Amino acid sequence: MSSQETIRRRNALDIFKMKGKRKIVSLTAYHAHTASIIDPYVDFILVGDSLGMVMHGLETTIPVTVDMMILQGHAVMRGSKQALVVVDMPFGSYEKSPQSAFQNAARIMKETGCGAIKLEGGKLMAETIRFLVDRGIPVMAHIGLTPQSFNTMGGFKIQGREEREWSALEEDIKAVADAGAFSVVVEGVAAQAAKLLTQAIEIPTIGIGASSDCDGQILVLEDMLGLSDSVPKFVRKFGDLKQHIEQSVIEYADAVRDSSFPAAEHTYSMKKDIKSD
Ligand code: KIV
């Protein structure tokens, strides 16, 4: 019998049950390496379509494809053990019909092994959410500032800053909760509205730029580590990796140029005692 303890990976139901008990902690990751570093400390890891900007230097998430999400989703699954892994459905992969959303979501789940998918949209997506959940696909919804609507919203616009916008947000969040989503990301929403939205539903809200009144928080890992050049107001930099990386590269370049790297300890020598027959 193995003495190793089996680690059970969290599932969507575990996240759902955390509402009202403790804050839910989450970060994005796109690589096995970063996934394994954050895995012990987060409840879920989101393989966000923000990978389009962070990994590929795109200006928006619009060009991201299902294949890109699958490649990185698989990497994050390999790098993590205990966190629920949620993979974003990219623009164009779920809006046309519940059936086409199911095909793409099922492919993402089969090929990555992830435990849930996330899609953007409120009441317009409720029918699709219900269709997916009824067929075994746990769905995290995403309302408020939805980056995939960049072109129709006219940019990245904070929502709910006027009280008259609140009822539409409330309708959205209630619709996705009623449709069976296990959780909902609330992005770029004024604090007072985020509080109201969190109190309006039984499923946990995961805030990003939506105040500490949400049931949990998520940030893009590279933003909070200080790797991204410009970040929104809601990001706190918990590290300054950019400076660390730059300094390490400067030292490496100097060491190569002055031949102090590689040193003897980084170098292979001849086999000393080759035995002859
Ligand atoms: O794509 C992403 O990283 C996201 C989070 C910022 C919520 O959707």
Side-chain angles (χ1 to χ4, degrees), residues 28 30 46-51 54 61 69 88 118 120 142 147-148 185-187 206-208 218-220 223 234:
T28 61
Y30 322 118
L46 173 70
V47 186
D49 61 353
S50 52
L51 66 79
V54 178
T61 54
M69 298 310 303
D88 248 343
K118 175 167 85 59
E120 294 183 9
H142 184 156
Q148 291 176 15
V185 168
V186 178
E187 178 165 357
I206 310 297
I208 173 161
I218 186 161
L219 282 177
V220 170
D223 289 352
F234 58 73

Side-chain angles (χ1 to χ4, degrees), residues 58-76:
L58 296 167
E59 275 181 21
T60 69
T61 54
I62 308 291
V64 174
T65 64
V66 172
D67 286 342
M68 287 158 89
M69 298 310 303
I70 289 177
L71 202 60
Q72 295 338 120
H74 202 184
V76 168

Side-chain angles (χ1 to χ4, degrees), residues 21-268:
K21 299 208 174 77
R22 66 172 181 80
K23 290 278 188 181
I24 300 165
V25 180
S26 59
L27 282 168
T28 61
Y30 322 118
H31 316 100
H33 208 161
T34 46
S36 79
I37 296 170
I38 69 175
D39 182 56
Y41 311 105
V42 297
D43 298 308
F44 75 87
I45 300 176
L46 173 70
V47 186
D49 61 353
S50 52
L51 66 79
M53 280 113 120
V54 178
M55 288 182 67
H56 298 274
L58 296 167
E59 275 181 21
T60 69
T61 54
I62 308 291
V64 174
T65 64
V66 172
D67 286 342
M68 287 158 89
M69 298 310 303
I70 289 177
L71 202 60
Q72 295 338 120
H74 202 184
V76 168
M77 281 300 290
R78 281 194 295 255
S80 60
K81 289 195 188 80
Q82 68 87 33
L84 167 70
V85 173
V86 182
V87 177
D88 248 343
M89 298 203 63
F91 178 69
S93 69
Y94 60 94
E95 302 87 334
K96 193 175 163 205
S97 67
Q99 287 77 7
S100 67
F102 178 80
Q103 262 183 341
N104 285 317
R107 185 175 160 224
I108 290 173
M109 291 196 73
K110 275 170 188 267
E111 293 185 29
T112 65
C114 72
I117 59 91
K118 175 167 85 59
L119 54 80
E120 294 183 9
K123 61 178 185 226
L124 270 180
M125 280 302 131
E127 188 193 345
T128 297
I129 295 173
R130 172 51 62 205
F131 192 87
L132 297 183
V133 174
D134 283 350
R135 286 158 183 77
I137 297 185
V139 178
M140 177 175 283
H142 184 156
I143 67 138
L145 189 167
T146 45
Q148 291 176 15
S149 311
F150 178 84
N151 289 308
T152 45
M153 277 184 167
F156 298 119
K157 296 228 170 93
I158 301 302
Q159 308 289 301
R161 294 186 110 166
E162 310 268 359
E163 220 173 313
R164 61 186 157 79
E165 296 169 20
W166 292 8
S167 60
L169 287 168
E170 202 173 345
E171 272 179 39
D172 277 341
I173 207 157
K174 284 186 170 160
V176 299
D178 289 348
F182 70 92
S183 174
V184 52
V185 168
V186 178
E187 178 165 357
V189 168
Q192 296 86 338
K195 185 173 184 179
L196 177 103
L197 296 175
T198 298
Q199 288 168 350
I201 52 166
E202 306 278 304
I203 63 171
T205 54
I206 310 297
I208 173 161
S211 89
S212 61
D213 283 314
C214 291
D215 299 302
Q217 296 294 324
I218 186 161
L219 282 177
V220 170
L221 182 66
E222 285 75 359
D223 289 352
M224 62 82 93
L225 290 178
L227 264 176
S228 309
D229 278 331
S230 65
V231 291
K233 167 190 162 86
F234 58 73
V235 175
R236 172 158 146 202
K237 289 193 184 179
F238 287 83
D240 193 358
L241 262 194
K242 191 173 179 196
Q243 216 198 328
H244 277 293
I245 292 176
E246 209 175 339
Q247 190 51 39
S248 308
V249 174
I250 290 170
E251 287 172 27
Y252 165 73
D254 287 348
V256 170
R257 289 194 181 108
D258 69 15
S259 298
S260 61
F261 175 81
E265 67 266 31
H266 311 118
T267 309
Y268 299 100

